[in-house]
């Protein structure tokens, strides 16, 4: 299980979008390259932006953090056999 904390005051409302069943917020969970931080968080949460915004070089704001729960074992590697990208690989 992964537990997330999102600071909703950092959410950029212009990138919320309307779907068939309500209003949505796209997020991406990225692993911290250096391992867990001093609070035990394994990574951070970035708000998604539109393709047009990405093409202009815009990035979504960091809106929170996440950590693997101690109730479930931490998964090893990516389900496809590769490794998951870390934040520095994506930016």
């Amino acid at each position: 299980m992964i537990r997330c904390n999102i600071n909703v005051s950092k959410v950029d409302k212009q990138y919320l979008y309307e779907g068939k069943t309500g209003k949505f917020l796209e997020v991406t969970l990225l692993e911290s390259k250096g391992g867990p931080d001093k609070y035990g968080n394994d990574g951070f949460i970035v708000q998604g932006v539109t393709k047009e915004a990405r093409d202009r070089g815009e990035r979504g704001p960091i809106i929170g953090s996440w950590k693997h729960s101690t109730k479930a074992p931490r998964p090893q590697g990516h389900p496809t056999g590769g490794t998951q990208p870390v934040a520095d690989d994506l930016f």
Side-chain angles (χ1 to χ4, degrees):
M1 173 174 26
I2 296 176
R3 298 189 57 92
C4 300
N5 291 306
I6 295 177
N7 182 340
V8 295
S9 65
K10 292 186 176 185
V11 171
D12 189 339
K13 292 174 183 58
Q14 74 173 322
Y15 294 117
L16 298 178
Y17 65 94
E18 194 69 39
K20 290 182 181 180
T21 59
K23 195 168 275 200
F24 290 86
L25 164 69
E26 179 186 333
V27 299
T28 301
L29 278 62
L30 300 169
E31 285 189 75
S32 297
K33 189 173 185 177
D37 65 14
K38 65 182 180 179
Y39 304 106
N41 296 312
D42 294 305
F44 54 97
I45 304 167
V46 177
Q47 181 177 356
V49 297
T50 63
K51 181 182 181 324
E52 294 79 17
R54 286 191 310 274
D55 289 346
R56 291 191 302 271
E58 293 180 35
R59 298 182 196 160
I62 294 173
I63 59 172
S65 59
W66 63 270
K67 67 173 100 178
H68 289 278
S69 172
T70 57
K71 294 180 181 179
R74 184 175 179 163
Q76 298 298 313
H78 193 270
T80 60
T83 59
Q84 294 176 324
V86 294
D88 289 346
D89 295 336
L90 299 174
F91 295 107

